[in-house]
Amino acid sequence: DESYTLDVPIDGKAVISAKTPFGAVRGLETFSQLITSSSGRKVIKNAPVKITDAPKFSHRGLLLDTSRNFYHLDSILRTLDAMAYNKLNVLHWHVIDAFSWPIESKVHPELTEKGAYSTDMRYSYEDVKKIINYAKNRAIRVMPEFNIPGHAFVIGEAHPEIACCMNKQPAWDKYAAEPPSGQLNIADPRAVTFAFDILTEYSRLFVDLGFHLGGSSLNTECWKEDPTIELYIRDHPGESVDSLVVGWHSQMFDKLNELGKIPYSWEDTVLHYNFTARNTTVVQAWIGDDSLSKVTEKGYRAIASPWNMYYLDCGQGSWLSNFEGSSWCDPYKTWQQIYNYNPLANITDPEKQRLVLGGEVALWSAMSDETTVDRYLWPRAAAFAEIMWSGNNDPHTNSTRDLRKVAPRLIEHRFRMVARGIMAHPVQPLWCVRNPDSC
Amino acid sequence: DGSSTPVLRSAIQRYSDIINREHFTAPVNYKQGVLRTSGTFRGLKVAVSSATDDLQFGVDESYELSIPVDGEATLTAKTPYGALHGLETFSQLVSANGQGRAIQNTPIHIRDAPAFPHRGILFDTARNYFPVRAILRTLDAMSYNKMNVFHWHIVDSHSWPIQSKTHPELQAKGSYGPEWQYSYQDVQRVIQHAKERGIRVIPEFDVPGHTMAIGYSHPELMSCMNVLPDWTPYAADPGSGQLNIAKNESIALTKDIVGEYAQLFPDHFFHLGGDEVNRNCWKDDAYVQEYLKQHPREDIESLLARFYSEVHGHLQKQGKAAFSWEETLFHSTYTPPKDTVIQTWIDETSIPKAVARGYRSIASPSNAYYLDCGEGGWYSNSDDDSWCDPFKTWMHIYNFDPLANVTDVEQQKLVLGGEVCVWTPQTDEHRVDPKIWPRACALAETAWSGKKDANGRVRTTGEVASRLHEQRFRMVGRGINAEPMQPLWCARNPGACNL
């Protein structure tokens, strides 16, 4: 429960009351924003102020990819601070991917030895606990993602015996969505054992009930052309790559449930394969405008992170060295577009709408690291945060809030974040800020 | 050895510091381990023949660098500025080797000189303000890339941050506030810091368009001042306002401005702007309408030509030559003086047209060199893209050829180089480094080395990526927040992240 009431009288003591400490944390943030500086003194304007507040959505998250490029600890803590200034409450930590394995493993230390970019670019158990604790103090849950069996090149570096189609060049695009290619061999029981080790180890380290299993962009060719899988399918008529995938997911989801966790997964798992998970599973929709409604049609709880609105890394062009075109997800998503977007737009049934827990903006880090994290995330994620907490419907007019009224508030918040040490990028010339309605 | 000038001495000190502090390994060499060395470096002898620190267009920037397998290296150059570039090259040849440092692949003999004499950055400090420290850091980053022109777009519609002693009301009413100004001292500091890095500062005072900020102190001299709610007939961006060219006082004020700043900025060139001049602004102005009724032999074009003639003429009296946006040449009836350098931005026909008319020209095409594009529009109530989207990737910048479509060899000589442009409606010091770097490095290389390698083959970005990664990481190590180009894995595995 993140609700709170805030009462600021004209004179005297103000009061925040909440059911949980996390509601109080939200109330304190609001209270801090009511204070402004006037001629060297601090004041609260428009008193008495009486606020009763609660979020529209319970999952208001930010995905941070720390595998494509590394983020030192202080930049992650700073991101948690910035999230708290915007009442965001889930850090979806996409900690590993094909490119690097930065997190310490006590069960398989070879993963970090072979997979971290360097000894300096790692997250130790202490680092992880520090992040989880720092987040908790800000009422932010840390949900880890271990995206398997795809995106597994870096695992294959330490365990080639359980990997397929490792770094195929130059035609990596036949085997993967991005270079370097590599997926776990889903027909090999050693891969299952390995995956169980990972799920078990990190289910213990990360205290959140939610555990994200990934499952996006699985490549069929990668497995089809693997000799051991060809052999397996020949020896097991009736099976196929698809059935192997379904079998893999079954085992992984069961394992997670056994470990007492709620599995989170990308939509591919339940929409592209004949796989049915328990209805406690949460599915993250990212592909199309109708993904969210398809997921809820199947009865799953869902979170919305459509790439065409919420992928904050887009707009920098392609990062492939010899190509000067756009990236797959260009153009840049502006704060205006993010603000105008209603994730529930294509879901009319109120029962289905209730299954949507919220959403996430995502920072995939092919072209981002700690030198750029603040400017990629802020203030656009603040626009998203308002949609998640308050929605974009103005109750007075029963229509979407006018961007002209939103802009000054977003800009004020941007300057507040800068003053608090977050290098949020400017939204307009300062002249426009001072002359609202002139731009 | 040879002459010693203040610029040379400060450069040697600066590069000694950089080299002593730096312990750099290129990402591609992350697994290299400690290399056995075959000789010992015994110092770098620097010999410059010229005894002067003069920094103007056309200064000799060449150098020769010799590093033996063992012993003393030598750097010779005609001017301190050639030596500066040689020192930068030298610093990039030094890499970490275990606890120490090494220079690989000796002996090395480099003879180097730039393909183009104008390799610049346009920096807009009017849309948003940049403290001096951000400008100095940008100058540092430019020097790491042998860039040599800081085109300071110092004023524009939205603010007038620079101190004026002849018209202090300009910054008093036109700046964002007392903490958002550049005093004479600030300006001189920037010029000096730039000079020590071989960078010329060319100021731009854009007239007669883009002048709303002047209207805050001189409303009587303006046309179409901040027309709302619909500014679109009168300006390219919100904040309309142009000097009323029918008034002699507008010309007088402009001459005062030109006279004052021609003295403050020592460069021989002075940018007079002249872009996006909106005719409706004057057509709909009551004073202009009345004036034209009284002077039937004149019209808006003749008024504009007269304005340019007076202003360019006044600049020439200061002993300076002008830079001008291409509209002055192509969209007005005025013929700029022959020594005017035309800055082209509109499209790829601009350069060929300008040099065909016999003018020296620099390339800053909006579809390749505008670094601000790609973040969508900044108008509050619209979720459209910006006019110049998409984002210009470093590959796109690298692949652009300013000499494309200029076949005549004599005309090719008129192309002086290019500038990447940092327009700042959505940038301030908190994000300027990643916005500029490492993309500006792509221009820096094509402007210094041209587009072809030693065998006459056009370089491809697939080959270049590795070196650009190295430069990006080196710059981060030197305190410039250049953004990452790719996952680090790709930097370490050249050729593995191609299409």
Side-chain angles (χ1 to χ4, degrees), chain B residues 7-61:
Chain B
V7 166
L8 183 61
R9 283 195 296 274
S10 90
I12 289 175
Q13 181 61 58
R14 187 167 67 255
Y15 277 98
S16 298
D17 289 342
I18 288 175
I19 292 166
N20 284 325
R21 248 193 347 248
E22 208 163 58
H23 203 77
F24 179 75
T25 303
V28 76
N29 292 330
Y30 73 106
K31 276 203 293 222
Q32 191 170 263
V34 182
L35 300 173
R36 268 189 21 241
T37 54
S38 42
T40 307
F41 171 71
R42 293 184 208 287
L44 174 68
K45 187 168 77 175
V46 181
V48 171
S49 40
S50 154
T52 138
D53 270 352
D54 255 2
L55 178 61
Q56 291 290 351
F57 172 74
V59 71
D60 189 308
E61 294 179 276

Side-chain angles (χ1 to χ4, degrees), chain A residues 135-354:
Chain A
K136 183 175 183 181
N137 284 337
R138 287 151 184 74
I140 297 169
R141 299 164 41 210
V142 177
M143 178 178 68
E145 176 183 345
F146 286 83
N147 193 349
I148 47 177
H151 295 256
F153 169 80
V154 75
I155 297 175
E157 291 265 88
H159 289 281
E161 74 283 0
I162 55 172
C164 304
C165 73
M166 284 288 284
N167 194 17
K168 295 275 194 197
Q169 295 284 354
W172 53 265
D173 49 333
K174 189 174 176 203
Y175 303 99
E178 286 172 319
S181 61
Q183 298 186 154
L184 290 182
N185 188 332
I186 50 178
D188 191 326
R190 294 175 297 178
V192 173
T193 311
F194 172 83
F196 282 175
D197 286 348
I198 299 300
L199 296 187
T200 308
E201 175 174 11
Y202 294 112
S203 287
R204 293 204 185 109
L205 179 57
F206 288 90
V207 303
D208 198 75
L209 271 184
F211 193 106
H212 203 301
L213 278 168
S216 63
S217 311
L218 298 181
N219 181 288
T220 308
E221 280 315 305
C222 175
W223 286 314
K224 264 210 191 123
E225 289 188 13
D226 182 277
T228 64
I229 292 188
E230 274 177 344
L231 204 64
Y232 181 93
I233 290 178
R234 224 184 42 205
D235 292 347
H236 298 79
E239 293 229 45
S240 62
V241 165
D242 275 17
S243 69
L244 278 171
V245 171
V246 171
W248 173 276
H249 286 321
S250 278
Q251 294 182 83
M252 296 302 134
F253 278 60
D254 282 347
K255 185 65 174 173
L256 264 190
N257 283 311
E258 189 188 299
L259 289 164
K261 299 280 178 176
I262 294 174
Y264 282 59
S265 185
W266 295 103
E267 67 179 74
D268 317 47
T269 309
V270 302
L271 294 186
H272 297 181
Y273 295 94
N274 222 340
F275 175 64
T276 307
R278 290 188 208 177
N279 63 4
T280 44
T281 305
V282 180
V283 181
Q284 186 159 6
W286 67 279
I287 297 177
D289 281 335
D290 54 354
S291 293
L292 201 63
S293 73
K294 284 202 240 169
V295 167
T296 52
E297 283 300 314
K298 286 193 181 248
Y300 297 107
R301 294 180 297 168
I303 47 185
S305 56
W307 66 268
N308 61 335
M309 282 296 156
Y310 287 172
Y311 276 22
L312 299 184
D313 53 300
C314 309
Q316 298 279 105
S318 163
W319 48 265
L320 300 169
S321 311
N322 60 341
F323 177 60
E324 60 170 87
S326 300
S327 87
W328 71 276
C329 70
D330 284 5
Y332 185 84
K333 319 304 169 201
T334 61
W335 75 262
Q336 298 95 322
Q337 288 162 350
I338 291 170
Y339 198 91
N340 278 340
Y341 179 72
N342 176 7
L344 297 181
N346 291 332
I347 305 183
T348 41
D349 180 344
E351 284 303 311
K352 300 281 178 281
Q353 286 191 350
R354 264 194 280 275

Side-chain angles (χ1 to χ4, degrees), chain A residues 69 117 169 172 179 315-316 319-322 324 332 336-337 366 369 403 414 426 428-431 434 439, chain B residues 128 176 212 216 374 378-380 383 391 395-396 399 425 428 461 472 486-489 492 496-499:
Chain A
N69 279 304
Y117 276 136
Q169 295 284 354
W172 53 265
Q316 298 279 105
W319 48 265
L320 300 169
S321 311
N322 60 341
E324 60 170 87
Y332 185 84
Q336 298 95 322
Q337 288 162 350
D369 65 17
L403 288 178
R414 181 262 168 180
Q428 290 179 330
L430 183 55
W431 181 84
R434 292 173 172 190
C439 294
Chain B
N128 278 304
Y176 280 134
M212 176 180 71
Y216 283 113
W378 47 267
Y379 308 148
S380 307
D383 64 9
F391 184 82
M395 304 85 159
H396 188 60
N399 286 335
D428 65 12
T461 55
R472 181 262 168 177
Q486 290 180 326
L488 179 55
W489 185 87
R492 292 176 169 184
C497 293
N498 286 349
L499 184 65

Side-chain angles (χ1 to χ4, degrees), chain A residues 335-394:
Chain A
W335 75 262
Q336 298 95 322
Q337 288 162 350
I338 291 170
Y339 198 91
N340 278 340
Y341 179 72
N342 176 7
L344 297 181
N346 291 332
I347 305 183
T348 41
D349 180 344
E351 284 303 311
K352 300 281 178 281
Q353 286 191 350
R354 264 194 280 275
L355 291 174
V356 178
L357 302 180
E360 286 182 3
V361 283
L363 178 54
W364 299 101
S365 303
M367 291 187 276
S368 169
D369 65 17
E370 60 215 353
T371 59
T372 52
V373 63
D374 285 8
R375 79 89 170 157
Y376 267 108
L377 292 176
W378 315 103
R380 291 186 295 160
F384 164 80
E386 177 157 301
I387 302 307
M388 287 286 111
W389 181 280
S390 308
N392 61 5
N393 194 54
D394 181 344

